[in-house]
Amino acid sequence: MSIGEVLALLQGEFPDVTISKIRFLEGEGLIEPERSPSGFRKFTHLHVEQLRYILTEQRDHYLPLRVIKDRMAEELGRPRAVPGAQETQEVRLSRAELLEAAGIDDETLTELEDYGLLAAHARRYDQDALEVARSVGALARFGLHARHLRAVKAAAEREAGLVEQTVAPILKRRAPGAIGEADEVAREASTLLLDLHAALVRIGVRTALGR
């Protein structure tokens, strides 16, 4: 099944479920649909049952995703892992390693740091820093450099502020499990905002091109 067909099967019982929600649960490792050669997700009835289980546990029992994930492994089984797949390891790169991995020069990295687009922590760079460096390096081909991307950084900071607003009431409760719940809400809200941001950029580009 396609992701749209899965959504149609679930929405009668879970009206609030969206494609973004399903993608978020996939990103958190709770479901693992395979991919067609063209890159489209391929879902089975097992995935639908897993999603139904996850959504029921969230709605009826307010369980954090990490607990649901453990219960799924015991009660429902998990889709088979992709052969050869390995868990992502934490990225901790030195300056020289980041330059090589991102394919940028030292001057570009200095500019990124000066404009606040990335920063080292204890002289090491994480996965997010690597992704920023790679993206800026690729955008340089179009004449876009760190100094041109301050508006992007400002927009990201405003969106992060919106996520902070969504989790603030949860953290104020100081209830058991509040931090885990806030983390899950922040992740899902971030995913939805990213989807919205991408759609608005596409609309803006089409408008600029007169399409």
Side-chain angles (χ1 to χ4, degrees):
M1 289 172 280
S2 69
I3 194 168
E5 290 170 323
V6 171
L7 182 65
L9 287 173
L10 294 172
Q11 276 191 320
E13 188 176 354
F14 306 98
D16 294 334
V17 70
T18 62
I19 285 178
S20 293
K21 172 75 171 183
I22 295 172
R23 289 174 177 164
F24 169 74
L25 293 172
E26 179 189 355
E28 293 296 297
L30 278 90
I31 56 171
E32 297 172 2
E34 295 184 8
R35 297 277 182 155
S36 69
S38 56
F40 290 102
R41 294 171 176 83
K42 297 193 299 181
F43 293 86
T44 67
H45 289 289
L46 173 61
H47 296 127
V48 175
E49 288 307 307
Q50 288 177 320
L51 286 165
R52 185 172 283 116
Y53 180 88
I54 294 163
L55 296 169
T56 298
E57 292 298 299
Q58 285 190 311
R59 182 192 62 194
D60 298 346
H61 304 292
Y62 308 100
L63 291 178
L65 288 182
R66 63 180 181 276
V67 175
I68 296 174
K69 190 173 183 180
D70 290 341
R71 290 190 176 185
M72 282 175 59
E74 296 174 1
E75 298 179 24
L76 292 180
R78 302 290 306 281
R80 63 180 180 84
V82 177
Q86 297 179 349
E87 291 188 3
T88 303
Q89 296 182 349
E90 183 181 7
V91 174
R92 301 291 291 170
L93 302 175
S94 67
R95 189 177 185 88
E97 289 169 337
L98 178 66
L99 294 175
E100 181 178 358
I104 61 174
D105 56 30
D106 192 75
E107 181 180 353
T108 299
L109 179 53
T110 299
E111 187 179 35
L112 288 172
E113 292 176 320
D114 288 345
Y115 282 101
L117 290 168
L118 61 77
H121 301 282
R123 298 186 179 182
R124 293 284 170 174
Y125 298 87
D126 61 14
Q127 179 67 40
D128 289 332
L130 176 58
E131 291 181 10
V132 169
R134 281 177 172 165
S135 297
V136 174
L139 286 168
R141 292 184 293 127
F142 305 103
L144 296 174
H145 302 280
R147 62 184 178 276
H148 301 119
L149 301 174
R150 285 176 291 182
V152 177
K153 180 177 183 293
E157 290 174 344
R158 288 194 294 270
E159 290 170 10
L162 293 175
V163 174
E164 185 178 357
Q165 289 178 30
T166 66
V167 301
I170 300 172
L171 294 174
K172 285 181 180 178
R173 295 203 306 261
R174 300 185 181 277
I179 294 178
E181 181 184 352
D183 182 63
E184 290 170 17
V185 169
R187 288 172 182 269
E188 185 171 358
S190 298
T191 299
L192 293 170
L193 283 170
L194 287 170
D195 288 346
L196 173 61
H197 185 94
L200 291 174
V201 169
R202 289 194 296 269
I203 291 170
V205 171
R206 287 201 302 270
T207 301
L209 295 175
R211 295 167 59 186

